[in-house]
Structures are given as structure tokens and as C-alpha cells.
Amino acid sequence: MKTYIAHYTKLGDRKKNLEQLLTGANYKDFCFVTGEPTNNFVDTFYSPSPLLWKKRTEGLDYGVAVNYRALSKAEISLLYKHYLMFEKVACGDEDYALILEDDVIFGEEFKEELKSSIEQTPVGWDFIFIGSGCNLRIPPSQLEVNKTSYLKSHPSGKCTDSFLVKQEAAARVLSTLLPFVLPIDFELNHHMMKHDMKTYWIEPPFVCQGSQNGQYTSEIN
């Protein structure tokens, strides 16, 4: 299984630490995606439009208002890297791939946990989220004995630090992704709803974010 990792090259400690984690988990088939958007790309494919922002957030209940704002350079950079990774998945030769961001942390059983997550998810999935970003979890009242994969209603995504995506799903997202409007996690939620994708969360998750647990300083917030 191919793995693509969004990486900001100035944060070399993240790359070094993640390479050590992957090696320790006997995980080898990965590559770091480091492309940065050009000014021409941003001018062409980023839309700071309040109207489009409203259209892409309506119909999705986040529990709080998602008020319009212009995106930061770091957010646009991360959006662009996800765009590049989705292109690689859609044009690849495998049915699905793993997407990571460079601040993820996991244990030595990572490879086995990935395999188990796929095996325990119904075959018609489009996305499988495996991380604990923003502490988004399946409510205890919905947990079932001997079940780890749960179908989510929209908005069905989490933070975009760690997820599996089918090749066909990546292609469908790319077909409507541009122009960028929202931060990547909200943007992805819109397109998953638009294409009525089947998204699953793994509970308990087995990946966490170093930028949320204090190991790294967040480049987004």
C-alpha cells in the first residue's frame, strides 16, 4: 500500500522522527510530498469568497458556526499538498492509499493495526479515518462489542492527519476540489458529502498528532 506524507521541508525534525516511527513499525512504502503552491496557482485556484465559503459549509452541522475568514499561507500550503497527494492516489495503480501529515505519532503495531482496520471495514468504504485529531471520537453510547469501524454521517471527516482513501474516491474529490475555499478538513467534509461517500472512523484510533499533544508547535493555529 502506498503512503503519502504531507511535509513542510523546514520542519526537518518531523521528517526524521516520522521516518524512525515508520522504520520501527517495519513500514517501507512511503514518500514525502513537499510541493509548495506557486503564486500563479494560488491566484488561480484559491477563492477567498464569502459566498462560496457559505455554500460549502451549509448543510453540515459542526455544532458551532464556521465563520468566514481568509486562509493563512500555511493552510493553503497544506491544501496544496493534499491536492498533490490525491492526484497521486487517483493516478496510481492501487485500489487505495494511506495519507499522513508529518506530525503523526503511532506505535510499533501500526502496520498490523492498518491491516486490521481495512479488514474490519465493509468493502464499500471510501475513506477510513484512523487518528484522534481534535479528540473526535465515537460516542461511548454508540460503541459495540467487538466492533472497531463505524460509519459516520456527514460531516464525516476528522482532522486530515491520517486516513485511508480509495482511488476512485480520490478521483471524485479532485473533480470538484478546485478552487480551494476552506481549510482542508472542512473542505474535505464538503466534498465527501457532495459525493455521498462512505466514511468510517476507527475506534479506538491508533494515531495521534504531535501538534495537538504538545510534541510539536502547530504550523496552522
Side-chain angles (χ1 to χ4, degrees):
M1 175 175 56
K2 301 287 186 182
T3 297
Y4 302 104
I5 303 163
H7 174 57
Y8 183 42
T9 55
K10 291 185 179 181
L11 303 177
D13 59 329
R14 293 191 181 189
K15 181 179 181 181
K16 180 179 178 180
N17 291 340
L18 185 50
E19 285 175 330
Q20 290 176 342
L21 287 175
L22 289 165
T23 300
N26 194 31
Y27 200 94
K28 301 177 181 179
D29 195 3
F30 60 89
C31 69
F32 288 85
V33 176
T34 60
E36 295 293 340
T38 63
N39 289 336
N40 181 63
F41 185 91
V42 173
D43 292 342
T44 305
F45 294 115
Y46 168 51
S47 176
S49 163
L51 179 59
L52 195 51
W53 179 289
K54 180 179 179 181
K55 287 183 177 180
R56 290 197 179 179
T57 54
E58 63 187 7
L60 292 168
D61 183 8
Y62 290 104
V64 295
V66 183
N67 297 320
Y68 170 79
R69 61 178 175 79
L71 300 186
S72 68
K73 289 183 178 179
E75 288 174 316
I76 293 173
S77 173
L78 184 58
L79 273 160
Y80 182 64
K81 290 179 177 64
H82 277 275
Y83 168 79
L84 295 178
M85 293 189 292
F86 271 73
E87 276 195 327
K88 291 179 182 296
V89 177
C91 297
D93 55 5
E94 296 186 353
D95 290 338
Y96 53 84
L98 175 65
I99 301 293
L100 299 175
E101 292 174 4
D102 62 7
D103 63 339
V104 293
I105 300 171
F106 47 78
E108 292 183 355
E109 301 302 315
F110 178 67
K111 189 174 181 180
E112 290 72 23
E113 289 170 320
L114 273 176
K115 182 174 182 292
S116 176
S117 296
I118 296 169
E119 289 174 346
Q120 297 190 47
T121 300
V123 294
W125 62 271
D126 293 299
F127 287 83
I128 303 175
F129 284 81
I130 60 177
S132 59
C134 296
N135 199 33
L136 295 172
R137 304 287 296 270
I138 301 298
S141 61
Q142 297 179 18
L143 296 179
E144 301 178 25
V145 177
N146 297 324
K147 181 175 180 178
T148 61
S149 187
Y150 293 81
L151 180 65
K152 284 292 297 178
S153 58
H154 301 292
S156 58
K158 289 188 177 185
C159 296
T160 53
D161 57 287
S162 52
F163 61 90
L164 293 144
V165 57
K166 286 276 186 70
Q167 181 184 46
E168 182 183 352
R172 281 186 285 162
V173 168
L174 283 172
S175 72
T176 56
L177 182 59
L178 300 178
F180 302 137
V181 180
L182 306 164
I184 182 59
D185 46 353
F186 292 98
E187 190 71 66
L188 193 53
N189 273 331
H190 164 74
H191 298 283
M192 290 192 293
M193 180 181 71
K194 182 179 181 69
H195 298 289
D196 194 25
M197 293 182 171
K198 290 182 172 60
T199 301
Y200 290 80
W201 290 9
I202 297 301
E203 185 65 42
F206 53 93
V207 177
C208 65
Q209 283 183 277
S211 57
Q212 292 188 9
N213 71 5
Q215 179 167 334
Y216 301 121
T217 299
S218 174
E219 296 298 306
I220 297 295
N221 297 326

